[in-house]
Amino acid sequence: MDGIHDLGGKQGFGRVDITGGDGAFHERWEGRVFAMVQSAFGAGAFINLDHFRHTIERIDPVAYLEDGYFGRWLGALETALVEAALVEAGQISRRAARPAEPPERFERGDGPMHSGRAVESAPAFAVGQMVRTADHGKPGHTRLPSYARGRKGIIQSLHGGWVFPDTHAHGKGEQPEHLYTVRFSGEELWGADCDDGVEVCLDLFESYLEVM
Amino acid sequence: MSELTTPALRAEALEDLLVEQGLFAPEQLDAIIEMFNERVGPMNGARVVARAWTEPTFKARLLEDATTAIAEYAFEGGQVDKLVVVENTDEVHNVVVCTLCSCYPWAVLGLPPKWYKDPAYRSRIVREPRRVLEEFGLEIAQNKTIRVWDSSAEVRYMVLPQMPERLATADETARAAAVSRDAMIGVALVQ
């Protein structure tokens, strides 16, 4: 989905504030939220990592920017707990949930949490090959950032088979695919509006790629 | 329930509710927090870097397959289903980001610093890395390639920084102490 989370290349955020924020948690509640999310996987609120990431993507876009990292986790946790019917909406104060559509309900598959999987077919691309990325914005979860859509890149390395997030996040199966690191030039991604001598490497699934 | 506005209050209310419902016990949360506060952090990655600097066979294994190379350490924390270590050289400077969320190799670097998770870093480092690195006080020579690794799948990245001359004669503990978290993300050099 073309959500607020897809931040690569967006302009207007200003300087990076590098002050403070060291250490695992900056305030006590952040640690509690972090640990509750970890525990919520075991309790069935989050079905898998991709479902968790997509739940974060669905929180209110204003809250996404305002609430910070652990605030986003808190919003996702509240959303997931309500959607999994583990708590009632009235029991918590939800700032972040903004369900545009009825939530998808599905069960966790029996695959391991580790996302690496064997894929029977041979990889379609080889190191050094030029590929072009897909040029579409799908409504659901995807790991093809918008800034790298419809762009030419070179296969840098192969990583074997991995669970496909685009289906896995929605309970449509693991459907593992070959994963590749693809290297793009700064000019290809940003045109002239890019620093000199820049390359960006992305890890992309086979179905995001086509032969040039 | 009345509107709870601060995340601290929301988190507290939620924890009370979930503990009451028996979803988990507070001690379970304490144990997770303790692990990430005390045992999971950049000191783990720093040990790996310090060893790679002086043990060529380990460095070769690390660059070939970091997941297997670090298995013997049994680092806790997770998020390294597949770890790739990228080496800084005289020609290439590497820097790591996750533009879509905030993916980060927890087992070797701990949880990420605040700026790594903020929109400014995530949006800009893929587009104007030279300018962003300058804001960190790091100027990369114009003739050097900057390679940005955007962690868009389950592969996690750690930078192997270059070893400064002064550490050539130091012992491994002193070398590890010199390796900062920021150097392993790629926004700093080892001084």
Side-chain angles (χ1 to χ4, degrees):
Chain A
M1 66 183 270
D2 279 336
I4 191 69
H5 68 284
D6 190 357
L7 283 166
K10 296 286 188 298
Q11 295 177 309
F13 286 106
R15 285 178 73 91
V16 179
D17 179 7
I18 61 176
T19 57
D22 295 336
F25 311 110
H26 322 310
E27 293 182 46
R28 184 183 177 279
W29 69 268
E30 297 184 343
R32 304 313 286 179
V33 167
F34 177 80
M36 280 195 280
V37 167
Q38 305 285 314
S39 305
F41 276 89
F46 295 113
I47 297 152
N48 56 52
L49 257 182
D50 300 306
H51 173 249
F52 168 61
R53 293 198 181 108
H54 190 52
T55 308
I56 291 182
E57 292 166 3
R58 290 188 296 119
I59 67 177
D60 180 88
V62 175
Y64 186 97
L65 292 177
E66 283 184 352
D67 289 2
Y69 179 72
F70 289 110
R72 297 194 278 276
W73 280 45
L74 177 57
L77 178 60
E78 291 171 334
T79 304
L81 286 165
V82 170
E83 290 181 354
L86 289 166
V87 304
E88 287 170 30
Q91 288 181 284
I92 53 175
S93 164
R94 286 187 303 160
R95 155 120 199 247
R98 183 198 42 81
E101 301 152 12
E104 301 162 313
R105 295 299 314 281
F106 55 94
E107 299 297 318
R108 189 174 128 63
D110 51 10
M113 284 300 277
H114 185 296
S115 308
R117 297 288 184 275
V119 175
E120 299 258 319
S121 60
F125 308 110
V127 170
Q129 195 172 350
M130 185 174 278
V131 292
R132 187 195 295 277
T133 58
D135 191 9
H136 57 65
K138 294 190 290 187
H141 185 62
T142 187
R143 297 297 287 185
L144 173 60
S146 56
Y147 77 84
R149 277 191 212 143
R151 296 295 200 275
K152 287 178 293 186
I154 306 281
I155 301 285
Q156 169 99 358
S157 58
L158 281 66
H159 296 292
W162 291 80
V163 167
F164 187 47
D166 302 39
T167 53
H168 200 221
H170 298 284
K172 292 179 178 145
E174 296 189 340
Q175 306 197 26
E177 292 190 11
H178 287 285
L179 180 71
Y180 304 82
T181 296
V182 185
R183 190 178 76 244
F184 301 87
S185 71
E187 292 76 17
E188 173 67 13
L189 296 174
W190 313 112
D193 181 29
C194 181
D195 292 347
D196 292 335
V198 171
E199 296 175 351
V200 177
C201 290
L202 280 154
D203 296 326
L204 300 175
F205 289 85
E206 192 161 277
S207 62
Y208 298 163
L209 306 173
E210 60 186 43
V211 186
M212 283 295 296
Chain B
M1 183 176 281
S2 63
E3 189 66 16
L4 299 173
T5 47
T6 74
L9 288 173
R10 281 163 63 201
E12 192 181 331
L14 192 58
E15 183 176 338
D16 287 348
L17 181 67
L18 297 181
V19 168
E20 194 179 303
Q21 292 193 352
L23 251 65
F24 45 71
E27 298 75 29
Q28 215 176 312
L29 306 187
D30 297 340
I32 294 170
I33 293 165
E34 186 192 312
M35 172 167 67
F36 279 87
N37 270 333
E38 291 174 19
R39 301 193 299 279
V40 182
M43 64 284 189
N44 294 329
R47 285 172 64 194
V48 173
V49 167
R51 183 173 163 200
W53 277 342
T54 55
E55 199 182 311
T57 55
F58 179 69
K59 178 178 162 183
R61 285 197 289 130
L62 190 67
L63 295 177
E64 173 68 26
D65 176 0
T67 319
T68 307
I70 67 158
E72 64 183 83
Y73 290 94
F75 293 134
E76 297 172 277
Q79 280 293 303
V80 287
D81 280 3
K82 175 150 188 176
L83 180 67
V84 169
V85 171
V86 289
E87 183 185 18
N88 282 349
T89 65
D90 291 341
E91 289 77 40
V92 178
H93 178 83
N94 296 284
V95 59
V96 180
V97 66
C98 171
T99 63
L100 290 173
C101 40
S102 299
C103 295
Y104 193 72
W106 294 353
V108 282
L109 297 187
L111 295 182
K114 184 174 174 299
W115 54 259
Y116 184 89
K117 304 172 283 193
D118 282 347
Y121 181 77
R122 288 167 52 196
S123 62
R124 293 179 56 213
I125 193 71
V126 287
R127 187 166 185 156
E128 42 179 358
R130 285 186 195 278
R131 274 169 275 188
V132 172
L133 292 178
E134 278 171 22
E135 291 170 21
F136 281 88
L138 177 56
E139 200 163 324
I140 301 297
Q142 283 295 328
N143 61 359
K144 208 177 216 193
T145 296
I146 298 183
R147 192 170 288 158
V148 185
W149 299 85
D150 187 354
S151 321
S152 51
E154 294 301 336
V155 184
R156 297 290 169 268
Y157 292 92
M158 183 175 89
V159 175
L160 177 60
Q162 289 180 293
M163 183 177 72
E165 274 300 310
R166 73 171 184 90
L167 292 175
T169 54
D171 66 27
E172 195 156 313
T173 309
R175 281 199 306 275
V179 180
S180 68
R181 173 200 68 206
D182 288 2
M184 293 181 282
I185 302 174
V187 298
L189 305 181
V190 176
Q191 299 299 323

